[in-house]
Amino acid sequence: MFAATVLTLYPEMFPGPLGASLAGRGLREERWSFETVQIRDFAADRHRSVDDTPAGGGAGMVLRADVLAAACDHVGYDRPMLAMTPRGAPLTQARVRELAAGPGVSILCGRFEGFDERLFEGRPIEPVSIGDYVLSGGEMGALVTLDACVRLIPGVMGAASSGDEESFESGLLEYPQYTRPVEWEGRMIPEVLRSGDHARIAAWRKHMAETDTRLRRPDLWERHSGVRVSTPSGAQRTDRDEQT
C-alpha cells in the first residue's frame, strides 16, 4: 500500500481535498494510507519552539534543523522524504510516477522563512518546489504532490488508461477536449472529432498536442523535440489549427 506521511505545524489542514472525490474513495478503500505528524511535538523546550531568528540578521524566522531532524528521524527514511520549498527542484510528472510506483512518501512542510540549510546536509531529504511562486507554507504543496501521486495508484482513478494521454505524461500538453452540445454559441466541435475516423482523430490530437505545447509551453517543446523555438509574445492557435 502507498503510505503518505505529512510533517506539518498545521495537521488540521489534512486530509483536506485528499479526503474527497477519487483520492478520498481510495483512502476509504485502503488503497493508500495517510497520517500527519505534528512537528512541534519534537521541540525540546517548554515553549515547544520550532523556529528562531535568521543567522546574520534579517526579517522573519527560520525552522530549526534540530527540531525538524528529530521529527524526520521519528518518521524514518524507508520512503522518500521530500521537503516543500521554493528552493527545491521543480516537481515533474516523471518524478511523480517514480514516487507513485514506490512504497509511499513523507513530506515535510516548510513555514516562515524556510529551513535551516543544515537539515539537507545532515539528512536524506529531497527539496521540491511546485512552482515559481511563494505560498504561506508547504501544506498546499504537499496536497498537490500527494494528489498527483495518489491518482496514479492502481484502482484510484478508475480505468487504467484514463491518464495515459493527459498533459505531461508524454512530455506534451494534452490535446483540446470537446463534448456535447455539438454547437455552442456558434462554435462547433471540430469536424474531425465527429468523423468517426479513428486514424484521423489520432493524427489531429497528436498535431494539436504538439502545436499547443510549442505555442503555450516552448520550454516543454524544446525538451520534447530537442529544437529551440522562438514564440512571439501572445501567440495564439489559429482557426485552421483548430479544424485541421
Side-chain angles (χ1 to χ4, degrees):
M1 181 189 298
F2 182 92
T5 300
V6 173
L7 299 86
T8 173
L9 293 171
Y10 299 96
E12 63 272 19
M13 295 179 68
F14 297 91
L18 296 174
S21 189
L22 297 178
R25 186 179 68 186
L27 189 59
R28 292 187 294 274
E29 293 176 349
E30 298 185 347
R31 297 184 183 276
W32 68 290
S33 66
F34 178 79
E35 66 172 348
T36 57
V37 171
Q38 170 57 269
I39 295 171
R40 201 172 294 279
D41 290 344
F42 298 87
D45 65 331
R46 64 188 181 92
H47 299 293
R48 302 177 76 200
S49 303
V50 298
D51 57 353
D52 210 328
T53 55
M61 303 291 280
V62 177
L63 289 167
R64 292 172 49 150
D66 56 344
V67 176
L68 296 180
C72 293
D73 292 348
H74 170 78
V75 172
Y77 305 95
D78 56 335
R79 294 169 273 154
M81 175 79 72
L82 312 183
M84 305 310 303
T85 167
R87 285 171 49 81
L91 184 68
T92 65
Q93 188 65 18
R95 184 64 180 122
V96 165
R97 285 196 298 268
E98 292 174 352
L99 294 171
V105 65
S106 301
I107 303 180
L108 178 61
C109 299
R111 280 275 162 175
F112 315 125
E113 294 303 310
F115 303 102
D116 184 317
E117 189 67 18
R118 291 172 295 179
L119 178 68
F120 302 108
E121 299 169 2
R123 296 293 186 273
I125 300 174
E126 176 185 349
V128 172
S129 170
I130 62 166
D132 296 337
Y133 44 85
V134 180
L135 300 171
S136 299
E139 286 76 14
M140 296 302 294
L143 289 169
V144 167
T145 302
L146 287 177
D147 183 80
C149 292
V150 167
R151 63 189 301 278
L152 298 183
I153 297 172
V156 170
M157 194 163 53
S161 62
S162 294
D164 290 350
E165 295 183 346
E166 291 182 323
S167 293
F168 311 116
E169 282 293 346
S170 64
L172 299 171
L173 297 181
E174 187 180 10
Y175 48 79
Q177 298 279 10
Y178 300 86
T179 190
R180 291 177 290 188
V182 172
E183 181 179 353
W184 174 73
E185 293 188 349
R187 296 169 173 85
M188 300 291 292
I189 295 177
E191 181 277 331
V192 63
L193 298 180
R194 296 177 278 126
S195 69
D197 186 329
H198 297 296
R200 283 184 63 206
I201 291 171
W204 181 88
R205 286 174 168 171
K206 180 177 183 294
H207 169 74
M208 293 308 301
E210 293 174 345
T211 299
D212 281 359
T213 303
R214 179 171 53 82
L215 293 177
R216 299 181 182 186
R217 289 291 305 274
D219 57 321
L220 289 179
W221 179 250
E222 288 173 17
R223 290 200 295 271
H224 176 77
S225 66
V227 177
R228 184 170 180 82
V229 296
S230 177
T231 303
S233 178
Q236 299 291 326
R237 225 174 36 214
T238 66
D239 290 340
R240 182 174 179 180
D241 287 332
E242 285 259 326
Q243 302 294 331
T244 299

